[in-house]
Amino acid sequence: MIFDFVLERYPQIIATVVTLILFFILKRFADSLVNRFGQRARFPKARVQLVKKYIDFLLATLVSVVVVSIWGVKPDQIFLFISSILTVIGVAFFAQWSILSNVTAGIIIFFSFPFKIGDKIRILDKECPIEAEIKDINSFYTLLITASGERISLPNNVLLQKAVVIVEPNEV
């Protein structure tokens, strides 16, 4: 009985195995690429791990779609399912746009690194100017410490929306 199933589905089994092997190879390559980029830019390990999680999630989603299509689900059914899920996620994110904008800003800051941990910056804001050192950059916020020791948690999207002057770059 199992032997009949294996013989009948041999092409799908082989295609699934090849897809999973390619997934692990791509995951390993992407992880090493992000690690090298993170080391070169001197990002903390937690930040590098976060980006690796994002990439792993995207790769796993892609592999899931490929495996489901290998096993006979029609592409229009897959796309209908995905578009339904994305619609629900889109509505949820629209309701929480600030969370999405902070995550997006965190990714932009990670890859473009206009400033990095250890830099002393001045945020040019008419109502509340801030001069502080960057202690950490997370996915949602950046942690700053002023000269007087105040800890300021600033949403990442503010750092992209306001003019920021690097007063003293971290040369480490």
Side-chain angles (χ1 to χ4, degrees):
M1 182 166 209
I2 274 193
F3 186 70
D4 291 337
F5 175 78
V6 170
L7 283 178
E8 186 178 309
R9 298 292 183 182
Y10 184 74
Q12 288 92 346
I13 292 171
I14 295 299
T16 301
V17 169
V18 168
T19 302
L20 292 175
I21 290 171
L22 284 174
F23 165 73
F24 287 112
I25 290 170
L26 281 173
K27 180 185 178 321
R28 194 162 242 238
F29 175 73
D31 286 350
S32 79
L33 193 65
V34 170
N35 280 335
R36 278 187 277 151
F37 184 82
Q39 286 174 350
R40 191 186 81 202
R42 296 185 183 108
F43 290 126
K45 284 186 178 185
R47 191 165 169 206
V48 171
Q49 293 295 72
L50 180 67
V51 171
K52 286 178 10 181
K53 283 182 188 177
Y54 290 153
I55 292 171
D56 290 348
F57 176 76
L58 289 173
L59 284 175
T61 303
L62 178 64
V63 164
S64 299
V65 169
V66 170
V67 168
V68 166
S69 67
I70 287 171
W71 285 92
V73 178
K74 295 177 184 166
D76 58 334
Q77 293 172 331
I78 294 172
F79 291 124
L80 176 64
F81 176 75
I82 290 172
S83 66
S84 300
I85 295 296
L86 289 177
T87 301
V88 170
I89 290 172
V91 168
F93 275 145
F94 182 74
Q96 297 296 328
W97 71 268
S98 65
I99 291 173
L100 181 61
S101 70
N102 283 321
V103 169
T104 305
I107 292 170
I108 291 170
I109 291 169
F110 179 83
F111 284 108
S112 66
F113 50 95
F115 31 77
K116 59 184 182 260
I117 295 172
D119 286 352
K120 290 183 182 163
I121 62 169
R122 182 180 314 122
I123 299 170
L124 304 177
D125 185 6
K126 188 192 301 186
E127 291 132 20
C128 183
I130 298 172
E131 186 165 327
E133 180 181 341
I134 298 175
K135 283 297 181 187
D136 195 14
I137 302 172
N138 292 310
S139 16
F140 297 104
Y141 65 91
T142 297
L143 180 63
L144 306 171
I145 300 210
T146 64
S148 63
E150 293 177 308
R151 296 170 57 95
I152 300 171
S153 174
L154 196 65
N156 286 333
N157 61 3
V158 171
L159 288 172
L160 291 181
Q161 293 172 357
K162 301 287 182 181
V164 176
V165 175
I166 301 175
V167 178
E168 186 178 317
N170 179 11
E171 298 298 332
V172 176

